[in-house]
Amino acid sequence: MHVFDEAIALQPVAEHRFGGKTSPAYWNMVGPYGGITAAVLLNAVLVHPQRLGEPLSITVNYAAAVAEGEFTIQATPVQTNRSTQHWIVIQESVDAAGNKIVASTATVVTAVRRETWSATDHPAPEVEAPIAQVQAPRRAPMFEQMQWCKQYEMLELHGALPHDWDGQERTDSRSLLWVRDAQPRPLDFASLMAMCDIFWPRIFLRRALQVPAGTVSLTVYFHASAQALAEVGTDYLLAQAQGQVYRNNYADEVAQVWSRAGLMLATVSQVLYFKQ
Amino acid sequence: MHVFDEAIALQPVAEHRFGGKTSPAYWNMVGPYGGITAAVLLNAVLVHPQRLGEPLSITVNYAAAVAEGEFTIQATPVQTNRSTQHWIVIQESVDAAGNKIVASTATVVTAVRRETWSATDHPAPEVEAPIAQVQAPRRAPMFEQMQWCKQYEMLELHGALPHDWDGQERTDSRSLLWVRDAQPRPLDFASLMAMCDIFWPRIFLRRALQVPAGTVSLTVYFHASAQALAEVGTDYLLAQAQGQVYRNNYADEVAQVWSRAGLMLATVSQVLYFKQ
């Protein structure tokens, strides 16, 4: 079983209710990688027997650190129309004192889609083809403990982390990279979801400082079908992120993810907290 | 009482539960303007006695048409931390058959913010100062019935609706406009929320066709304090929107809203359905 499938595995425990377990392979600093939490929340909808259509949009709010070990997810379809379905998803964990807490919430829209006129206003940047390579060592000790990084192959084309964490302010917060699962796995909605959170906080690039920072809310819109994702297979995705504003503890970013063939698979926005 | 305050007025009916009423002044085609629905959902958090801090992010999912008349909103703080609070908000209405339905859902994060390093990667475009003017007549009969349009003064700088609905595909989906309440009202989170949905579906510009289209999910990140909004007062806001992709019934857009002084007040993303 692929390490990603282990990490997002869910067991039904009651109507609309599932049990899961955190994965050491996707551990971040004080909890799981945000992308794997988003993927397991989405997976509760994907495996739900009442699901209509495929994922169109998801917003995940990170409310508290998910404790190591077991958690439960409640995924409820609150409104079902002819071609869309609206979901509320709640993940419960336990805090340090052993009390049950809401660790994350999500809303999801699933939809049955039909062929229509289609176009893009944001073509993929023209870049060199990816060449598989041994991962360069991370550029700061803090990244050594982030297990999740090892689950992805990331080939940075623009906007890598600074060589020198010198605190000198930069002007460019754009990053562009090829990314795929380190251990090959055919793309699907859950793994695309996880990769939509692959970007370092833009403030690391802008300030060349390792200030405490993390995602508070993450929104992804899906623009491809399950079949189109399956056709991407285990190939690299082209992922781009750009900050817009940083002010008083919070910053945002927008991002796009394309297939190598230039199909826009997902568009992303998120708001992050930061300190100092 | 300002027509906007009437439209977002809520009466507490039980713990976490409020009653409201749709406003004819903000009627759209088959339901209220999406921006006024988002504003009244946010208002349930704003007036809630347990609220911590000010709005940081909101995602509104439009699940079904809100029927004319009364509705209820349940706003529940599901997780409260030292400086952030996570909300789930559900609006119930009745459908044509008289059954209770979920018309919309939202998640909201509120936060207590402190002064930090701040910067922007997306300065406001340089444009001419707004000059108040009599509204130009709308360019298609469909807009005549949209009451909500009359509640806003919109001065279009770029990307107005096409003069000729000739179905000739355009390449540019960016719009830029000055906007404020037609009847002056000092800016606050609720009115800023409503103005974040001011943009026509980008597909109207791209295709010069009035295809059926409407917002499915709207996400706004707030980047200013209540005090900063109050200082904007009744002045115009500069609002910009840009599409990214249109495929198989759904399209997205990203948007930014600045004060005249160039302070980024909010960043926006949304996904819309369209037909044909």
Side-chain angles (χ1 to χ4, degrees):
Chain A
M1 197 177 190
H2 192 284
V3 66
F4 181 81
D5 292 295
E6 274 177 24
I8 65 163
L10 291 171
Q11 290 74 42
V13 293
E15 195 188 12
H16 308 319
R17 209 166 172 81
F18 304 87
K21 219 171 78 175
T22 60
S23 162
Y26 287 89
W27 204 250
N28 192 24
M29 306 281 283
V30 294
Y33 164 54
I36 205 75
T37 294
V40 74
L41 291 171
L42 182 62
N43 200 34
V45 172
L46 291 169
V47 303
H48 197 294
Q50 292 167 29
R51 175 172 54 90
L52 173 77
E54 298 182 347
L56 169 67
S57 73
I58 178 169
T59 292
V60 179
N61 294 335
Y62 299 91
V66 182
E68 201 180 339
E70 296 186 354
F71 55 79
T72 61
I73 295 179
Q74 185 162 320
T76 312
V78 296
Q79 178 67 27
T80 302
N81 303 313
R82 202 160 52 97
S83 60
T84 58
Q85 191 172 43
H86 289 256
W87 297 80
I88 293 178
V89 186
I90 298 174
Q91 181 185 36
E92 285 182 339
S93 179
V94 288
D95 68 10
N99 300 313
K100 196 185 278 188
I101 56 160
V102 171
S104 68
T105 68
T107 57
V108 176
V109 182
T110 54
V112 177
R113 304 170 75 153
R114 288 168 188 84
E115 288 280 320
T116 64
W117 176 87
S118 294
T120 181
D121 287 352
H122 198 326
E126 297 206 2
V127 297
E128 287 175 29
I131 299 167
Q133 62 187 43
V134 175
Q135 290 279 30
R138 295 285 148 197
R139 297 198 184 98
M142 68 182 282
F143 302 119
E144 284 308 307
Q145 50 183 124
M146 294 182 177
Q147 294 302 313
W148 69 267
C149 293
K150 301 172 187 166
Q151 310 311 331
Y152 293 101
E153 189 185 340
M154 299 184 239
L155 309 178
E156 290 163 327
L157 300 161
H158 180 88
L161 289 175
H163 284 272
D164 304 310
W165 294 90
D166 57 8
Q168 291 298 308
E169 196 176 317
R170 272 74 169 170
T171 54
D172 183 8
S173 73
R174 187 174 70 95
S175 286
L176 185 65
L177 69 157
W178 290 110
V179 60
R180 64 176 178 178
D181 287 310
Q183 181 185 333
R185 181 182 176 282
L187 190 68
D188 58 17
F189 284 108
S191 65
L192 175 58
M193 172 80 252
M195 284 187 236
C196 285
D197 192 34
I198 204 74
F199 312 100
W200 301 114
R202 304 292 87 199
I203 201 162
F204 288 0
L205 277 70
R206 280 289 255 115
R207 297 181 69 185
L209 269 186
Q210 293 170 48
V211 297
T215 306
V216 176
S217 184
L218 171 66
T219 291
V220 173
Y221 303 142
F222 297 104
H223 304 292
S225 65
Q227 191 190 323
L229 300 186
E231 284 164 12
V232 171
T234 61
D235 199 7
Y236 294 91
L237 307 184
L238 185 63
Q240 178 172 259
Q242 165 78 59
Q244 294 189 109
V245 64
Y246 316 80
R247 187 171 314 119
N248 295 350
N249 291 134
Y250 294 94
D252 78 344
E253 72 175 48
V254 291
Q256 302 83 27
V257 179
W258 295 271
S259 71
R260 190 201 293 230
L263 185 70
M264 191 173 260
L265 303 178
T267 48
V268 184
S269 61
Q270 61 170 281
V271 64
L272 305 92
Y273 87 92
F274 67 92
K275 283 192 178 166
Q276 298 170 26
Chain B
M1 197 178 191
H2 192 283
V3 66
F4 181 80
D5 293 296
E6 275 177 24
I8 65 163
L10 290 171
Q11 289 75 41
V13 293
E15 195 189 13
H16 308 318
R17 209 167 173 82
F18 304 86
K21 219 172 80 175
T22 60
S23 162
Y26 288 88
W27 204 252
N28 190 23
M29 306 282 283
V30 293
Y33 165 53
I36 204 74
T37 295
V40 74
L41 291 171
L42 181 62
N43 200 34
V45 172
L46 291 169
V47 302
H48 197 293
Q50 291 167 30
R51 175 170 56 89
L52 173 76
E54 297 182 346
L56 169 66
S57 73
I58 178 169
T59 292
V60 179
N61 293 337
Y62 299 91
V66 181
E68 200 179 342
E70 295 186 355
F71 55 79
T72 62
I73 296 179
Q74 185 161 320
T76 313
V78 295
Q79 177 66 27
T80 302
N81 303 314
R82 203 161 52 97
S83 61
T84 58
Q85 192 173 42
H86 290 257
W87 298 79
I88 293 178
V89 186
I90 298 174
Q91 181 185 34
E92 285 182 339
S93 178
V94 288
D95 67 11
N99 299 311
K100 196 186 276 187
I101 56 161
V102 170
S104 68
T105 68
T107 57
V108 176
V109 182
T110 54
V112 176
R113 305 170 74 153
R114 288 168 189 83
E115 287 279 319
T116 65
W117 176 88
S118 295
T120 182
D121 287 352
H122 198 328
E126 296 206 3
V127 297
E128 287 176 29
I131 299 166
Q133 61 186 44
V134 175
Q135 289 279 31
R138 295 286 147 197
R139 297 199 183 99
M142 68 183 283
F143 303 117
E144 284 308 309
Q145 49 184 125
M146 294 183 177
Q147 294 302 313
W148 68 268
C149 293
K150 301 173 187 164
Q151 310 311 329
Y152 292 102
E153 188 185 340
M154 299 183 239
L155 310 178
E156 291 165 327
L157 299 162
H158 180 89
L161 288 175
H163 283 272
D164 304 310
W165 294 90
D166 56 9
Q168 292 298 309
E169 197 175 318
R170 271 74 168 170
T171 55
D172 182 9
S173 73
R174 186 174 69 95
S175 285
L176 184 65
L177 69 156
W178 290 110
V179 60
R180 64 175 179 179
D181 286 310
Q183 181 185 333
R185 181 182 177 281
L187 190 67
D188 58 18
F189 284 108
S191 64
L192 175 57
M193 172 79 253
M195 284 187 236
C196 285
D197 192 34
I198 204 76
F199 312 100
W200 301 115
R202 304 292 88 199
I203 202 163
F204 288 0
L205 277 70
R206 280 290 255 115
R207 297 181 70 185
L209 269 185
Q210 294 169 49
V211 297
T215 307
V216 175
S217 184
L218 171 66
T219 289
V220 173
Y221 304 142
F222 297 104
H223 304 293
S225 66
Q227 191 189 323
L229 300 186
E231 284 165 11
V232 171
T234 60
D235 199 7
Y236 293 91
L237 307 185
L238 185 62
Q240 178 172 258
Q242 165 79 56
Q244 294 190 107
V245 64
Y246 316 78
R247 187 170 315 120
N248 295 350
N249 290 132
Y250 294 93
D252 78 344
E253 71 176 48
V254 290
Q256 301 84 27
V257 179
W258 295 271
S259 71
R260 191 202 293 231
L263 185 70
M264 191 174 259
L265 304 177
T267 48
V268 184
S269 61
Q270 61 169 281
V271 63
L272 306 92
Y273 87 92
F274 67 90
K275 284 192 178 165
Q276 298 171 26

